[in-house]
Amino acid sequence: MPKETMSPRERWQAVLSRQKPDRVPMDYWATAEATDQLCKHMGCDFDEVQRRLHIDKPQPLGGAYVGPAFPEYTDYFGLRMKLVDYGTGKYYEADNAPLAQFQSIDEMEAEYQWPSPDWFDYSHLPELVKGKEHLVWQGGTSEPLLFYKALRGYELAYMDLLERPELVHYCLDKLFELAYQNAQRIFEAVPSVVLLSYVAEDLGGQDTLLYAPEHIREFLLPRMKRMVDLAKQNGAFVFTHSDGAVHDIIPDLIGIGAQALNPIQWRCTGMERERLKAEFGNRLVFHGAVDNQYTLPFGTVEEVRQEVIDNLRILGAGGGYIIAPCHNIQSVSPPENVIALYETGYEEGWR
């Protein structure tokens, strides 16, 4: 095997800059249960797992919460969280909808306290990154519509787009401003350290968009562009996450400045790898694409190996690809398949 000549940061930066890395970078997304299962199978902690499997996972940067105290399992939005076991993984889900009772902006203004960016402290970040400048640092995540749906309740949030657009605009302005201030303060605390900024929003289902394109363009894209512009002004690459069948909105995401697209769920309608590479490969870096609906959980080791090879051949042709699962690996995925993903990526990623 060739010798590595780049740090994780240099490797990611090369791909994102359309330069040739020493090898293709590899990222890791998984539930806690899947990670524990992998560690037990390999007989080591996760740091050693990453070293053995040559994983170049980005490290998150964020503010430390120093705001008002809230009840246990309740966050600073007033969302009460409960742990839900889906059989293949556990996730904290909202158990209430703090904004569901409000019918107008005036009511919300009078009775709801929006979180303040001053509830977070960033003074620890310089010490956190000191001596670790070779790692991939990610900061400035935004996904406000996800929070809006939790705060209003999903059914009501979807109805708001048609029946109460002024309320959606008001709330998204508040949520995006909090995300903007968080990102800006991270950039100010550790200048030139953040390599990736996530400007995310789940826009697709299995077969089509979750929202009408006109709603995406009205409510989300202008605000997402403001986040994109902030990231680029601070030297960070813009990483856009959207699950599902999002083919029809990809040109719009490119139009606001998206540079990398995740997670490439290629079994969804319109997300065929060859099509994405042909249409957008000269404008987007692709991240993910190792299937988490069939291949990783239910396929054989050989099927996993072949899929990684296919991804490198299709999405990695001429560069512009980062290997990763197409979403969080679930505990139903055998550790042998997870290991095959990264071992194959390492073996084949030098070409």
Side-chain angles (χ1 to χ4, degrees):
M1 202 65 62
K3 183 179 179 180
E4 294 184 355
T5 59
M6 290 182 169
S7 68
R9 183 184 182 91
E10 290 169 335
R11 191 170 295 125
W12 275 72
Q13 192 160 22
V15 173
L16 292 167
S17 302
R18 297 305 181 125
Q19 305 297 315
K20 183 173 174 58
D22 55 353
R23 63 169 175 83
V24 175
M26 298 192 293
D27 198 357
Y28 179 90
W29 292 35
T31 65
E33 295 85 1
T35 299
D36 289 345
Q37 187 172 277
L38 180 61
C39 289
K40 288 177 184 176
H41 181 83
M42 295 183 67
C44 58
D45 63 21
F46 186 58
D47 286 341
E48 180 62 13
V49 166
Q50 292 184 92
R51 189 192 68 78
R52 291 188 196 176
L53 297 182
H54 308 279
I55 294 168
D56 310 292
K57 182 176 174 60
Q59 307 299 308
L61 291 171
Y65 183 74
V66 295
F70 289 92
E72 189 176 16
Y73 300 114
T74 301
D75 70 9
Y76 47 80
F77 286 108
L79 285 167
R80 187 174 60 247
M81 311 303 289
K82 67 175 181 179
L83 191 62
V84 179
D85 188 345
Y86 289 96
T88 60
K90 298 177 182 178
Y91 290 83
Y92 278 99
E93 304 282 10
D95 194 31
N96 66 336
L99 300 186
Q101 60 182 309
F102 301 119
Q103 301 300 313
S104 70
I105 295 173
D106 287 343
E107 289 180 19
M108 210 173 286
E109 287 271 5
E111 299 184 41
Y112 181 74
Q113 183 181 22
W114 291 95
S116 166
D118 295 333
W119 291 359
F120 302 87
D121 177 69
Y122 303 84
S123 61
H124 66 289
L125 295 183
E127 188 62 30
L128 179 64
V129 304
K130 187 177 180 181
K132 301 176 183 176
E133 292 81 4
H134 64 289
L135 299 179
V136 182
W137 291 101
Q138 175 268 318
T141 300
S142 64
E143 197 169 0
L145 188 58
L146 179 69
F147 285 102
Y148 182 75
K149 290 190 293 186
L151 288 166
R152 285 286 279 171
Y154 274 56
E155 290 184 13
L156 191 55
Y158 276 100
M159 291 169 61
D160 285 344
L161 296 171
L162 293 171
E163 297 181 351
R164 301 177 189 87
E166 73 288 346
L167 200 62
V168 181
H169 281 296
Y170 167 79
C171 292
L172 288 182
D173 279 346
K174 294 288 189 180
L175 293 165
F176 267 98
E177 183 61 24
L178 181 65
Y180 187 93
Q181 291 296 328
N182 170 66
Q184 188 170 49
R185 295 179 190 203
I186 292 170
F187 293 135
E188 290 172 351
V190 282
S192 304
V193 168
V194 176
L195 184 66
L196 302 173
S197 192
Y198 289 4
V199 181
E201 214 56 84
D202 282 339
L203 302 176
Q206 185 68 25
D207 296 307
T208 189
L209 292 170
L210 291 173
Y211 313 94
E214 57 266 28
H215 287 156
I216 295 172
R217 292 169 185 141
E218 176 184 353
F219 294 106
L220 292 175
L221 294 182
R223 296 177 172 94
M224 291 173 72
K225 185 178 188 305
R226 185 168 178 246
M227 298 297 300
V228 168
D229 291 345
L230 177 65
K232 290 185 174 181
Q233 289 161 12
N234 286 276
F237 289 93
V238 178
F239 185 107
T240 300
H241 164 84
S242 180
D243 296 336
V246 294
H247 173 274
D248 292 349
I249 208 70
I250 290 176
D252 295 81
L253 297 174
I254 294 171
I256 64 168
Q259 295 166 295
L261 182 66
N262 153 280
I264 318 300
Q265 292 181 300
W266 60 266
R267 292 188 187 273
C268 294
T269 302
M271 297 296 289
E272 297 82 6
R273 291 165 291 182
E274 294 86 351
R275 181 183 186 184
L276 293 182
K277 187 68 174 181
E279 293 184 19
F280 309 117
N282 62 339
R283 293 177 286 172
L284 282 176
V285 169
F286 298 108
H287 173 286
V290 181
D291 174 57
N292 209 22
Q293 290 183 294
Y294 167 75
T295 312
L296 280 175
F298 307 118
T300 65
V301 164
E302 187 51 43
E303 285 176 308
V304 174
R305 288 182 55 83
Q306 187 59 53
E307 182 161 317
V308 173
I309 291 170
D310 290 343
N311 285 347
L312 287 166
R313 174 178 55 83
I314 300 167
L315 295 173
Y321 177 52
I322 296 166
I323 298 172
C326 77
H327 208 287
N328 291 329
I329 299 168
Q330 307 291 308
S331 59
V332 71
S333 295
E336 293 86 353
N337 283 3
V338 180
I339 292 169
L341 186 172
Y342 294 104
E343 286 186 343
T344 307
Y346 187 69
E347 293 165 4
E348 303 292 332
W350 299 86
R351 300 178 181 180

